[in-house]
C-alpha cells in the first residue's frame, strides 16, 4: 500500500472511515458487499429510495436478498451488520460518508428530447442535489453509474451552485462487472478505472484515496488512472466493443446457415488469432441485459450531438443486427412450424438475459415471446430464477396486451412440466440445467414432429437428431 502512495504522486490519501453508496441495485449491492468484505475497517452503507429493495437486502434469510449472484449471499452473510448496512436513511448516510458512490440507474430516456436514445440522467441529478443539500463536510463523489461523457461537469455544477462551502471532488469509477459473474469480477477485476481531476492537487488526492481502497485487494498495476473524460468514455466504449463482437459473430451466423459453414468452428478459428481472442464470440439469439443497448444508444446519441454521423451510424449497426437476430430466431420457429403457430404450444426455456442471473432487462426472451404471441401461439415458459410476475411485467412494458398475456402466456415451475404437449422448444437462456435435461424424456412429452430451436447452441446436434428431434441451432 505504501508503494502505491509513492507511485500516485505524494498526496496523502484521506483516511476513510465511512462510505455511502446511493443505489442498492445490481451494481451498488454486490460492489459494496465486496468493498465491505475487503475493507473491514470501513463502514459501508448502501441506501436506496426503494424501501422494498432495502428490506429484501436486510432479509434475515440471506438467500432472499434481491439479487441473485453466485457467491454473493455468503459475502452478505459475513459482512451485513458488521460493516455493511442497507438503509433508506439517505440523508444520514450522505452526511456521515467521506466517499459517496452514485450507483443509480441511468436508463434510456423514454420522453422528450433524446427519447429512446439519450441516457436519462434525472436520478443522477437528484443524487447530486441531495448531496449538495446535505453535505457539511468535504466529500469525494464517485460516479459508479454508467453515464455520458462529461457528466462530471454537470454534477460539479450542481454541487458548486447548490451546495454549501464543502469541497467536492468528483471521480469517475465505472463498473465493469458482468451479471452472473459479478462476485469473481469484483474480486479479480481485469482493471479498476479511476478518472479524476489529475491536474489539481485536490483531484490527485481524491484519486489516491480511491486507489488506496481498491489496493486492499487489487494489485496496483491493475488500477488505471486517467483524466475524468477518458474514464467516462472508456466505459461506453468497452460495452460497445463487447456488444460489437456479439453482433459480429451473430451476423456471420446467418451467413453460416446459408452456406453450410458452422459458426462454432468459425469462432474457434477466428478466436485462435491472439490479436482477436476467443472471448465473446458465442453466436446467440441476441444479446440482452440492461446496458449494452442503452450504452450504445447513448454513444450514438453523443456522436450525433457532435455531428459525427458516420461514427453514430457505425455503432448503431450493432443494435440493428441484434434486433434482427432476435426477430430472425422467432420467425424461424414460425417458418418451421409450417408458417403457423396459432393455437400451438411453444415452450421457451429460459427468460433471463443470460444464465446465473435473475435479471431480465432487455432479455431477447421478450422480443421472441412477443412475436410468438402476436402469431397466436400459446407460450409456456420455464426459468429457474425469474418469477412469473417479472415475466408478465416485462411483456406489459413491451406493450403486449394484458388479455393476450392472461390467455396465451403460462409460466411453469419445472422444465418437464413446461414441455408437455409442446410443438417446439426455444432455448433462450443457457442455464446449465437445460444441457442436463433428460432430452429423451422431453421428446416423449412433445407433439411429433418435435422441434428444438437452440438459441444458445448448448446441445449436441447429432444426439438431438438421434433422439428424433428436428434440431435447429444458430449458425449451423
Ligand atoms: P438498478 O436499477 O439495479 O439499481 C439502481 C438503484 O438506484 C435502484 O434500486 C433505484 O431505486 C436506486 N435509485 C435511483 N435513484 C435514486 C435516488 N435518487 N436515491 C436513492 N436511490 C436511487 O441498476 P444497476 O443495474 O445497479 O445499474 C446502476 C448503474 O450501473 C447504471 O448506470 C448501469 O448502467 C451501471 N452498470 C450496471 C451493470 C450491471 O451489470 N447491471 C454493470 C456495470 C454498470
Ligand atoms: C456487460 C459487460 O460484459 C460488463 O463488462 C459491463 O459492466 C456490463 O455489461 C454493464 O455495463 O452492465 P452483462 O450485460 O452483465 O455485462 O453480461 P455479458 O456477459 O456481457 O452478456 C451480455 C449479453 O451478451 C448476454 O445476453 C449474453 O448472453 C450475450 N452474449 C455474450 C452472447 O450472446 N455471446 C457472447 O459471446 C457473449
Amino acid at each position: 500500500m505504501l508503494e502505491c502512495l509513492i507511485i500516485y504522486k505524494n498526496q496523502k490519501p484521506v483516511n476513510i472511515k465511512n462510505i455511502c453508496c446511493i443505489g442498492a441495485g445490481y451494481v451498488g449491492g454486490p460492489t459494496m458487499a465486496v468493498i465491505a468484505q475487503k475493507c473491514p475497517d470501513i463502514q459501508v452503507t448502501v441506501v436506496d429510495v426503494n424501501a422494498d429493495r432495502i428490506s429484501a437486502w436486510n432479509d434475515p434469510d440471506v438467500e432472499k436478498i434481491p439479487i441473485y449472484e453466485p457467491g454473493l449471499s455468503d459475502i452478505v452473510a459475513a459482512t451485513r451488520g458488521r460493516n455493511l448496512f442497507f438503509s433508506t436513511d439517505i440523508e444520514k448516510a450522505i452526511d456521515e460518508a467521506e466517499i459517496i458512490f452514485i450507483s443509480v440507474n441511468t436508463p434510456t430516456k423514454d420522453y422528450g428530447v433524446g427519447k429512446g436514445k439519450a441516457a436519462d440522467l434525472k436520478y443522477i441529478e437528484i443524487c447530486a442535489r441531495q448531496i449538495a443539500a446535505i453535505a457539511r463536510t468535504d466529500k469525494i463523489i464517485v460516479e459508479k453509474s454508467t453515464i455520458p461523457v462529461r457528466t462530471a461537469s454537470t454534477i460539479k455544477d450542481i454541487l458548486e451552485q447548490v451546495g454549501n462551502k464543502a469541497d467536492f471532488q468528483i471521480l469517475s469509477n465505472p463498473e465493469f462487472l458482468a451479471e452472473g459473474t459479478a462476485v469473481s469480477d469484483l474480486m479479480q477485476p481485469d482493471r479498476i478505472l479511476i478518472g479524476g481531476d489529475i491536474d489539481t492537487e485536490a483531484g490527485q488526492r481524491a484519486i489516491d484515496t480511491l486507489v488506496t481502497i481498491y489496493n486492499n485487494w487489487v494489485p496496483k498495476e491493475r488500477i488505471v488512472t486517467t483524466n475524468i473524460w477518458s474514464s467516462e468514455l472508456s466505459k461506453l466504449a468497452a460495452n460497445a466493443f463487447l456488444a460489437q463482437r456479439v453482433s459480429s459473430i451473430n451476423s456471420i451466423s446467418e451467413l453460416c446457415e446459408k452456406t453450410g459453414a458452422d459458426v462454432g468452428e468459425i469462432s474457434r478459428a477466428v478466436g485462435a488469432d491472439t490479436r482477436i481472442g476467443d472471448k465473446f464470440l458465442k453466436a446467440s439469439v441476441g444479446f440482452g441485459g440492461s446496458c449494452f443497448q442503452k450504452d450504445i444508444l447513448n454513444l450514438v446519441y453523443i456522436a450525433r450531438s457532435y455531428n459525427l454521423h458516420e461514427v453514430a451510424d457505425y455503432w448503431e449497426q450493432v443494435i440493428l443486427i441484434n434486433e434482427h437476430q432476435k426477430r430472425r430466431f422467432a420467425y424461424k420457429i414460425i417458418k418451421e412450424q409450417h408458417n403457423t403457430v396459432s393455437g400451438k404450444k411453444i415452450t421457451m426455456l429460459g427468460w433471463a438475459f443470460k444464465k446465473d442471473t435473475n435479471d431480465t432487462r432487455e432479455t431477447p426472451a421478450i422480443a421472441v415471446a412477443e412475436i410468438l404471441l402476436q402469431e397466436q401461439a400459446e407460450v409456456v415458459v420455464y426459468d429457474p430464477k425469474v418469477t412469473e410476475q417479472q415475466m408478465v411485467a416485462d411483456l406489459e412494458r413491451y406493450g403486449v396486451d394484458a388479455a393476450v398475456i392472461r390467455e396465451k402466456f403460462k409460466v411453469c415451475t419445472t422444465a418437464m412440466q413446461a414441455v408437455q404437449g409442446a410443438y417446439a422448444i426455444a432455448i433462450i437462456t443457457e442455464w446449465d440445467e437445460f444441457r442436463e435435461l433428460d432430452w429423451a424424456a422431453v421428446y416423449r412429452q412433445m407433439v411429433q414432429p418435435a422441434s428444438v430451436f437452440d438459441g444458445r447452441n448448448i446441445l449436441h446436434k447429432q444426439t438431438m437428431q438421434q433422439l428424433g428431434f428436428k434440431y435447429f441451432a444458430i449458425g449451423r
Side-chain angles (χ1 to χ4, degrees), residues 176-177 179 235 239 280 282 284 287-288 291 353-354 456:
F176 295 101
L177 68 79
E179 291 180 27
K235 173 62 194 177
N239 271 359
F280 257 72
K282 280 201 200 87
S284 67
F287 63 72
C291 294
F353 80 98
K354 62 186 281 198
R456 295 291 182 168

Side-chain angles (χ1 to χ4, degrees), residues 22 25-27 48-49 53 105-106 146 175 179 294 361:
I22 308 180
Y26 282 87
V27 168
D48 204 294
V49 281
R53 209 164 203 184
N105 36 330
T106 49
T146 304
E175 184 49 60
E179 291 180 27
K294 126 178 128 57
R361 290 176 289 182

Side-chain angles (χ1 to χ4, degrees), residues 172-190:
S172 158
N173 171 223
E175 184 49 60
F176 295 101
L177 68 79
E179 291 180 27
T181 53
V183 170
S184 55
D185 293 343
L186 288 164
M187 294 283 196
Q188 291 113 22
D190 286 347

Side-chain angles (χ1 to χ4, degrees), residues 343-365:
K344 292 180 183 169
K345 182 167 164 179
I346 310 290
T347 299
M348 289 173 56
L349 291 183
W351 190 267
F353 80 98
K354 62 186 281 198
K355 74 169 183 175
D356 291 338
T357 177
N358 59 350
D359 195 348
T360 66
R361 290 176 289 182
E362 304 296 338
T363 171

Side-chain angles (χ1 to χ4, degrees), residues 23-252:
Y26 282 87
V27 168
T31 311
M32 291 303 125
V34 169
I35 291 185
Q37 191 195 41
K38 297 294 185 182
C39 310
D41 298 333
I42 298 178
Q43 174 162 321
V44 180
T45 307
V46 190
V47 292
D48 204 294
V49 281
N50 183 336
D52 290 343
R53 209 164 203 184
I54 290 297
S55 91
W57 278 111
N58 284 323
D59 198 298
D61 179 354
V62 81
E63 296 308 326
K64 292 198 177 137
I65 55 174
I67 283 156
Y68 172 71
E69 276 294 335
L72 179 61
S73 57
D74 291 342
I75 299 177
V76 172
T79 50
R80 199 176 56 183
R82 182 192 78 183
N83 66 327
L84 176 66
F85 301 90
F86 295 92
S87 166
T88 50
D89 193 344
I90 301 176
E91 293 193 9
K92 180 167 180 278
I94 290 176
D95 184 39
E96 290 176 352
E98 295 103 12
I99 299 187
I100 300 168
F101 285 83
I102 300 180
S103 198
V104 298
N105 36 330
T106 49
T108 305
K109 253 185 112 179
D110 59 4
Y111 57 90
V113 176
K115 179 178 173 179
K117 296 178 189 127
D120 191 344
L121 296 180
K122 71 177 169 216
Y123 305 111
I124 297 276
E125 173 156 355
I126 291 169
C127 290
R129 286 183 183 278
Q130 200 165 12
I131 294 167
I134 293 164
R136 293 171 298 160
T137 51
D138 297 351
K139 313 268 180 211
I140 296 172
I141 314 295
V142 184
E143 299 171 340
K144 187 51 114 176
S145 298
T146 304
I147 30 81
V149 56
R150 300 204 72 84
T151 301
S153 66
T154 308
I155 298 178
K156 198 169 176 2
D157 271 1
I158 294 170
L159 292 172
E160 282 176 359
Q161 286 170 30
V162 182
N164 51 36
K165 295 279 173 273
D167 178 64
F168 298 105
Q169 284 301 317
I170 298 155
L171 299 179
S172 158
N173 171 223
E175 184 49 60
F176 295 101
L177 68 79
E179 291 180 27
T181 53
V183 170
S184 55
D185 293 343
L186 288 164
M187 294 283 196
Q188 291 113 22
D190 286 347
R191 78 311 209 175
I192 292 291
L193 178 58
I194 300 173
D197 190 354
I198 45 178
D199 297 327
T200 66
E201 210 170 281
Q204 190 60 52
R205 188 163 186 246
I207 293 174
D208 292 348
T209 302
L210 194 54
V211 165
T212 306
I213 287 178
Y214 280 111
N215 195 213
N216 280 299
W217 76 99
V218 181
K220 59 180 180 293
E221 59 274 13
R222 291 209 175 181
I223 303 177
V224 179
T225 58
T226 65
N227 84 32
I228 199 154
W229 318 125
S230 305
S231 173
E232 290 180 337
L233 190 52
S234 293
K235 173 62 194 177
L236 294 183
N239 271 359
F241 276 51
L242 288 169
Q244 182 209 42
R245 285 174 73 94
V246 179
S247 278
S248 295
I249 198 69
N250 280 345
S251 73
I252 297 295

